[in-house]
Amino acid sequence: METDEALVAAWRDGDKRAGSRLFARHFEPIARFFYSKVQTGVEDLVQRTFLALIERSEQLPEGVPVRAYLFGIARKLLLRRFRDQYRDGIFDGDTVSVADLGESPSALLDRREHLQLLYHALRSLPLELQIVVELFYWESYPAPAIAAALELPEGTVRSRLRRARELLGDRLRALAPAPEVAAATLHDLERWARELRDQLGRA
């Protein structure tokens, strides 16, 4: 199998089939990144993410996987969209959540209580915390990989992950219909996070 780097280089040199293979390889996780945060324009955001990749392909940072770099681009495009969309107010991804913005991301068709609870709790986290916790649980990225993808200091990522877990627990307990439901979701958080990831991948 050709490496991502080889496909990027071939696409940059005009091989459209290489671009198509790269797109097919990474479409699902990049689309899922947007589906969990916005209701409309996902396809456009995904296309712009891949176009930005090829535009910057000669400056790809050494040691950063292509998919991780795509997530970094996706984050920047998402922040730009929200800043443009809410320019009359103050948008701060460190404090404002998708739920605060009134966004209605893709509906979760699976009605299992733990999945619905986790999905709503994730959407209530400040956007920057939602992003790092999804990369951690959905993409299995450790803190150094998240830091490289988002071009942030590793210490900042570790601090955000720690705060995200604390807030996620608080949100689950606040949203759960009973304390034992929140406790069960937190006890098996990795499993429910993976299942939620898979459900959104089918959006």
Side-chain angles (χ1 to χ4, degrees), residues 176-198:
E180 56 269 22
V181 176
T185 306
L186 283 167
H187 178 73
D188 213 359
L189 183 58
E190 289 192 14
R191 172 203 165 192
W192 291 116
R194 287 194 301 270
E195 292 206 25
L196 179 57
R197 172 199 65 194
D198 294 341

Side-chain angles (χ1 to χ4, degrees), residues 49-118:
T49 299
F50 280 88
L51 287 175
L53 168 68
I54 199 61
E55 289 169 358
R56 306 173 192 176
S57 59
E58 293 186 354
Q59 291 86 37
L60 290 180
E62 186 176 352
V64 178
V66 169
R67 179 176 293 187
Y69 192 66
L70 283 166
F71 280 122
I73 294 171
R75 168 180 169 265
K76 290 177 181 177
L77 288 174
L78 183 69
L79 291 173
R80 187 181 308 159
R81 166 174 163 151
F82 284 148
R83 285 172 182 140
D84 290 345
Q85 189 172 347
Y86 299 96
R87 65 178 66 208
D88 292 337
I90 298 175
F91 173 76
D92 181 357
D94 290 322
T95 59
V96 177
S97 70
V98 170
D100 292 334
L101 296 175
E103 289 285 335
S104 299
S106 296
L108 185 63
L109 298 181
D110 192 313
R111 305 308 298 176
R112 282 179 291 175
E113 190 171 41
H114 296 290
L115 286 184
Q116 290 289 334
L117 177 62
L118 180 56

Side-chain angles (χ1 to χ4, degrees), residues 136-160:
F136 183 81
Y137 285 108
W138 290 0
E139 307 303 329
S140 300
Y141 281 11
I146 297 173
L150 304 184
E151 299 178 10
L152 294 171
E154 186 178 333
T156 299
V157 170
R158 291 188 183 280
S159 176
R160 288 181 179 181

